[in-house]
Amino acid sequence: MEKAKKVEFQNPLITCDCSDCVLRTLMFQYTSEEEALAICKSKIQKVVMKGETIVSQGEPIKNFFYIKDGLVKLYRQFQNEKDTQIICLALPYDYVSLLTVFHDSEYRYSMAALEDTTVCILPIDFVKNIIRNNGPLGMGFLEKSSLSTDRIINNYITINGRNLRGRIAFILLDFADRVYHRDFFELPVSRKEVAQLIGMTTENVIRILSEFRQEKIIRINGKEIEILDKKRLNMICEHG
Amino acid sequence: MEKAKKVEFQNPLITCDCSDCVLRTLMFQYTSEEEALAICKSKIQKVVMKGETIVSQGEPIKNFFYIKDGLVKLYRQFQNEKDTQIICLALPYDYVSLLTVFHDSEYRYSMAALEDTTVCILPIDFVKNIIRNNGPLGMGFLEKSSLSTDRIINNYITINGRNLRGRIAFILLDFADRVYHRDFFELPVSRKEVAQLIGMTTENVIRILSEFRQEKIIRINGKEIEILDKKRLNMICEHG
DNA sequence: CGCGGCTTTGATGTTCATCAAGTAAAGTGG
DNA sequence: CCACTTTACTTGATGAACATCAAAGCCGCG
C-alpha cells in the first residue's frame, strides 16, 4: 500500500459503454439523449488495482471521479507520515470527488483503491458545463454532495463521542452493515488504516480487537472477521 | 443560552429590499431580473438576538437559511446534554444550510445566534425550483457547498491531530483571523462552548487559557481576549 | 535468505477527564 | 431592589484512558 504505483489516465484502457452503466440512474437521470451521449464520449473508465493511488492531494484538479465498483479510501497526508488521517471509505455510487472539485484548483485529499476498483472519470470542465446547462442535473449533484458530506460529518461526530472500544465497535458495524451487508467479511484495510480511520493507535486497535475476540464478540483470523454477538457490539458502540 | 427562546417566522418583521442586499453577488450573480424579483418576494429577513435558536435538529426542513450579518453556531445535541458538539461557527456569506437541506426531510443540526444576527430565509422548495431552472445558479451553490463542507472537514482533521494546547491555539487563531480579523476581540462563546467546539472539557479549556495567560501569550479579561504573542501561538498550533 | 512492513503483547508514562469545592456573575421572583 | 437560585468560571487533586516504547514473531517479496 505504501509503495502504491500511480495510475496514468492518458491512455484509457476502456471507453465506457454507457448503456450498461450501473450509474445510469445517477448521472443520466436528468440528462437528455444528446447529453447522455456526450457524457459517454467524454467518460473513460479505468480499473484500478488494490493498493494503487487514484489521485494525490496537491495535484491540479482535472477530473471528476466516481466509483462504479470496488472500494476506495479518501485520506489526508501530512509531512509526518504517522499523522495521516483517512476521511472516509467510499463505495459505488459515492461521489467522493464532490468534496473539493467544485471550488478549488487542487485536490485536497488523496484517493487509493482498497479493493480492485472501477473508476469512471470525466473532465471536470465538462461536468461543470453540463451542470450549467442542466438545472435538474445540478440539483441532483447537490443532493448527492449534501448526502456524502453529511455522512462524513456524522462519522466524525460519532467517533468523537466514543471511547476506543466504542470506536472499534462502530467501525466493525460500519463494515458489516454499510460496506459488506454481511457479518462475515475480509477486512480490506490494515490495522494501521483502521487506526487512521477512527483516530487511535495501531497497537490499541489490535488490543481491542483481541479483547473482543476473548469476549467472544467477534472471531478473527488475520483479515477475516466474523461478528458473533451483534447485540453486544451495538451496545458497546452506543454506550462505550 | 440554554433557555434560548424559539424564533417564529410566521410573521416576518421585515421583507428584504434586495437592491441593498449584501448577498446580491452570491445569490443573484447568476439569476435573471425576473428570478431576482421572485427571490426578493419570497425571501424574508429576520433579526435574531444573541442566544436565540434559529432552527432545531429534528424539525421538518422548510427553509433555506443564510447569514446576512452576525455569527451563528451549528451544533448537534444528544440525549446526554454534555455530549453536545458544535460543528462550526458560521459567518456572513456562509451557506450553513447546505449541509442537509438538499437531501433530507429534517434538519440534522441546530442553529443558534452567538451575536445579534440577520438571517435571510427562503422556502426550500422555492430554492430547489430556481436551481432546477437555472444551471449556473446550481453550479454556484455547488461551489459554495463544496467550500463550506471542505472547511468543516478540514477543521475536524486539524483539531484531531492536535493536543489540548494546540487546539486552544488553533481556535484562538481562528477567532482572530477568520472571524474578527483582529488580535483583540470579545469571545462570543462561553468556555463550555469552546470545549464543545474543539472536543475537550470546560475545565481544561480554562486551565489552558490560564496557562497561556501566565506564559504571556494572551491577555484575558472575562470574555475579552488579546493575543500578545502570535508567533508563539502559531508554533503551539503547529507543533503542540 | 534476509529485509521491511505488519501484527501482537507487555510494561511504562503522559495526557487528559473526572471529581470536588469555591468564587463570581447573571438571571428570577417577591 | 434585594434575596435567592442558577449558571459560568476557576483551581487543585486524583485516577483512568490512552499513547508510547520495546521486543518478538510473522509474512511477503526481491
Side-chain angles (χ1 to χ4, degrees), chain A:
Chain A
M1 186 60 73
E2 303 300 336
K3 294 191 188 174
K5 283 169 209 146
K6 191 57 191 311
V7 182
E8 294 296 336
F9 296 116
Q10 278 75 350
N11 297 314
L13 300 182
I14 311 164
T15 298
C16 174
D17 174 6
C18 294
S19 64
D20 71 350
C21 181
V22 289
L23 292 176
R24 200 179 175 83
T25 49
L26 284 180
M27 196 67 184
F28 299 150
Q29 185 176 0
Y30 305 109
T31 53
S32 67
E33 276 299 312
E34 301 106 288
E35 282 174 328
L37 207 66
I39 292 170
C40 285
K41 289 214 172 119
S42 302
K43 175 170 157 187
I44 64 175
Q45 188 172 319
K46 175 83 182 150
V47 176
V48 182
M49 303 306 287
K50 180 179 174 134
E52 284 179 314
T53 301
I54 297 165
V55 280
S56 296
Q57 64 192 54
E59 290 178 15
I61 293 179
K62 288 180 191 151
N63 294 303
F64 177 85
F65 298 88
Y66 62 85
I67 311 303
K68 183 173 178 176
D69 185 58
L71 184 69
V72 306
K73 64 171 175 180
L74 195 70
Y75 59 107
R76 181 77 183 272
Q77 294 169 292
F78 296 88
Q79 310 83 321
N80 203 337
E81 189 265 346
K82 80 181 185 69
D83 290 335
T84 297
Q85 291 186 42
I86 296 177
I87 294 152
C88 68
L89 304 186
L91 293 169
Y93 296 80
D94 282 342
Y95 283 15
V96 281
S97 267
L98 279 180
L99 280 168
T100 308
V101 292
F102 288 116
H103 77 275
D104 210 345
S105 58
E106 291 180 359
Y107 296 103
R108 290 198 187 189
Y109 313 107
S110 302
M111 194 162 119
L114 296 176
E115 292 176 351
D116 296 354
T117 293
T118 307
V119 196
C120 290
I121 303 151
L122 282 163
I124 185 67
D125 291 333
F126 174 79
V127 174
K128 287 182 179 177
N129 269 328
I130 58 174
I131 289 173
R132 274 190 271 263
N133 288 315
N134 185 333
L137 180 64
M139 195 58 223
F141 271 86
L142 273 170
E143 283 169 21
K144 280 299 277 180
S145 160
S146 186
L147 184 60
S148 309
T149 54
D150 240 2
R151 187 182 295 144
I152 292 174
I153 290 167
N154 201 56
N155 265 11
Y156 270 112
I157 290 175
T158 307
I159 287 166
N160 245 286
R162 277 161 177 64
N163 65 10
L164 298 196
R165 284 172 63 91
R167 291 178 192 190
I168 293 288
F170 171 77
I171 201 68
L172 290 176
L173 291 168
D174 191 54
F175 276 116
D177 297 340
R178 184 176 70 93
V179 180
Y180 294 111
H181 309 287
R182 278 183 270 121
D183 288 351
F184 173 55
F185 52 86
E186 177 142 336
L187 256 195
V189 290
S190 66
R191 312 293 197 248
K192 184 170 150 193
E193 285 170 310
V194 171
Q196 292 171 345
L197 191 51
I198 56 181
M200 49 193 284
T201 59
T202 309
E203 291 95 323
N204 279 331
V205 169
I206 290 163
R207 234 182 290 273
I208 287 165
L209 284 174
S210 295
E211 283 179 27
F212 285 3
R213 178 170 40 73
Q214 284 157 25
E215 297 167 24
K216 311 267 188 230
I217 298 168
I218 58 174
R219 195 175 59 67
I220 313 178
N221 180 17
K223 301 244 171 192
E224 283 175 25
I225 301 225
E226 182 172 11
I227 296 177
L228 301 174
D229 191 345
K230 202 155 186 176
K231 198 184 290 181
R232 192 89 187 284
L233 210 53
N234 269 305
M235 287 262 299
I236 294 170
C237 180
E238 293 308 323
H239 318 99

